[in-house]
Amino acid sequence: MYVLGIEGTAWNLSAAIVNEDDVIIERAATYTPARGGIHPREAAQHHSEHIGPLLREVIQGARDRGIKIDGVAFSQGPGLGPCLRTVATAARVLALKFKVPLVGVNHCIAHIEIGKWKTGARDPAVLYVSGGNSQVLALRRGRYRIFGETLDISVGNMLDKFARSVGLPHPGGPRIEELARKAKGYIPLPYTVKGMDFSFSGLATAATEAARRYDLADVCYSLQETAFAMLVEVTERAMAHAEKREAMLVGGVGANQRLGEMLRLMCEERGARFYLPEKRFMGDNGSMIAYTGLVMLKSGVSTPLESSGVRPNYRTDEVEVRWA
Ligand code: ATP
Ligand code: FE2
């Protein structure tokens, strides 16, 4: 079975075709704001300019390989309304044109499913950390339940905010990681875990404050150590609570080697297995939507046109996971 998937919840527009075994073709176009954060309208404008050529290229790629598309999947949410609408419109048109089923995919679940596909993880507690999301999830009674999440901003957003406040280029995560390697000392910063949830906005402010008095590399290091320790603590508690013997890291912040190392150590101490997908499958990508669409279609799930409206606040636990 071949499924075409389109991702476009935020800054990255990406389309891909996958089958059960592999990614056949993937193309992406990235929106980069001129300055500051992402503007939903501008991002949607970017997507609508690029989606035509992008899809033509991917569909031509399928034709060249003699592939017939059996379904069209799209990121239905969560994400920015205007971006989601652009993607959903294109997906509906293609499904009608090819006369194949349409399937709306939850973006967060797609991160998890592609991670499992690419690493061989079976039933992990998942730490999903990106610019828009920070959650700890695990499958229980047929749904991906959110065990813990941020009470304010995501960890990626926190890193980007801090970076901007000290004049580092966007995205901040990679630059902070680089600087942290040169650190010589640790500066205490606020560690905030409440129950199973974490909070990052106070940490961003405190780090910006600290950067006025201390060496920037030391602040970057301390910021990472503090924020990641919070994430690891909640992941570990979710594993204990949900009785999971595996953990997996997904989302753009997952590219951070220090975070991966901290999770690996925690898992080793618990006698659990740790799974880390390849970087290209950790950030937003079209393949994750295509693949999740494929497993959904195979389990008999599809989305009729009348229920294909976008869902900017789509929660993971709204989806009944029939394919696991
Ligand atoms: P989502 O729609 O899932 O919220 P997103 O639009 O934020 O995703 P991603 O590619 O998943 O996109 O994540 C981008 C975030 O990852 C940015 O906040 C960026 O700073 C962060 N990031 C990227 N590389 C690193 C790194 N090496 N260390 C820490 N953070 C990183
Ligand atoms: Fe994402």
Side-chain angles (χ1 to χ4, degrees):
M1 182 176 208
Y2 290 93
V3 176
L4 167 69
I6 318 171
E7 156 61 28
T9 51
W11 53 273
N12 193 35
L13 178 70
S14 174
I17 295 172
V18 308
N19 66 8
E20 288 83 351
D21 303 319
D22 221 336
V23 174
I24 311 299
I25 180 170
E26 184 181 74
R27 291 289 180 272
T30 305
Y31 156 78
T32 23
R35 64 193 151 78
I38 180 165
H39 304 275
R41 288 267 153 62
E42 274 181 24
Q45 182 64 32
H46 166 274
H47 292 359
S48 49
E49 274 163 26
H50 289 84
I51 202 160
L54 201 77
L55 286 170
R56 264 192 290 278
E57 203 182 328
V58 169
I59 292 163
Q60 189 57 46
R63 284 207 187 101
D64 295 346
R65 292 168 178 81
I67 287 167
K68 192 190 142 293
I69 292 161
D70 303 299
V72 176
F74 69 102
S75 53
Q76 197 169 10
L80 304 172
C83 297
L84 293 171
R85 279 191 287 277
T86 306
V87 166
T89 306
R92 285 182 204 116
V93 170
L94 286 181
L96 287 171
K97 179 172 136 88
F98 296 144
K99 299 188 177 62
V100 295
L102 178 69
V103 56
V105 172
N106 178 293
H107 175 93
C108 307
I109 291 181
H111 274 291
I112 302 175
E113 293 301 337
I114 197 162
K116 285 163 76 174
W117 185 39
K118 288 291 163 187
T119 64
R122 295 164 63 116
D123 184 20
V126 180
L127 175 61
Y128 167 34
V129 277
S130 64
N133 295 282
S134 294
Q135 301 180 330
V136 177
L137 309 127
L139 195 60
R140 192 152 76 168
R141 282 179 278 117
R143 282 170 202 257
Y144 284 109
R145 315 272 170 185
I146 300 167
F147 281 77
E149 64 188 321
T150 183
L151 297 168
D152 39 56
I153 57 174
S154 74
V155 63
N157 189 215
M158 182 277 287
L159 294 170
D160 295 338
K161 264 192 164 160
F162 167 74
R164 205 177 310 140
S165 78
V166 298
L168 294 174
H170 184 87
R175 282 291 288 141
I176 292 169
E177 176 171 29
E178 220 177 285
L179 278 165
R181 291 213 181 85
K182 297 179 191 137
K184 296 190 185 69
Y186 177 79
I187 301 150
L189 291 171
Y191 181 98
T192 320
V193 172
K194 290 179 185 155
M196 292 289 276
D197 297 322
F198 26 78
S199 147
F200 290 111
S201 72
L203 181 56
T205 315
T208 301
E209 199 58 41
R212 297 208 181 97
R213 286 174 290 132
Y214 298 98
D215 176 62
L216 186 56
D218 288 353
V219 179
C220 289
Y221 168 75
S222 310
L223 181 59
Q224 281 197 165
E225 294 301 302
T226 308
F228 297 168
M230 286 158 54
L231 296 171
V232 173
E233 180 191 331
V234 174
T235 308
E236 178 166 26
R237 289 177 36 208
M239 289 172 81
H241 194 73
E243 298 179 342
K244 302 293 180 190
R245 316 282 309 155
E246 305 178 324
M248 183 171 73
L249 174 60
V250 302
V253 182
N256 190 291
Q257 289 185 12
R258 178 60 183 146
L259 178 56
E261 179 183 275
M262 287 168 77
L263 283 165
R264 186 177 300 283
L265 277 173
M266 178 273 283
C267 285
E268 269 169 27
E269 275 166 19
R270 297 182 58 84
R273 293 204 61 175
F274 176 58
Y275 294 93
L276 185 70
E278 251 179 85
K279 205 169 152 180
R280 67 175 274 227
F281 296 119
M282 244 185 308
D284 295 348
N285 61 86
S287 300
M288 72 186 198
I289 302 299
Y291 178 72
T292 308
L294 183 146
V295 292
M296 289 173 81
L297 288 170
K298 284 193 122 179
S299 74
V301 183
S302 67
T303 308
L305 278 184
E306 59 274 18
S307 356
S308 67
V310 302
R311 308 179 69 169
N313 301 310
Y314 202 178
R315 294 205 28 121
T316 43
D317 50 12
E318 288 177 52
V319 181
E320 197 190 325
V321 180
R322 284 204 230 151
W323 55 89

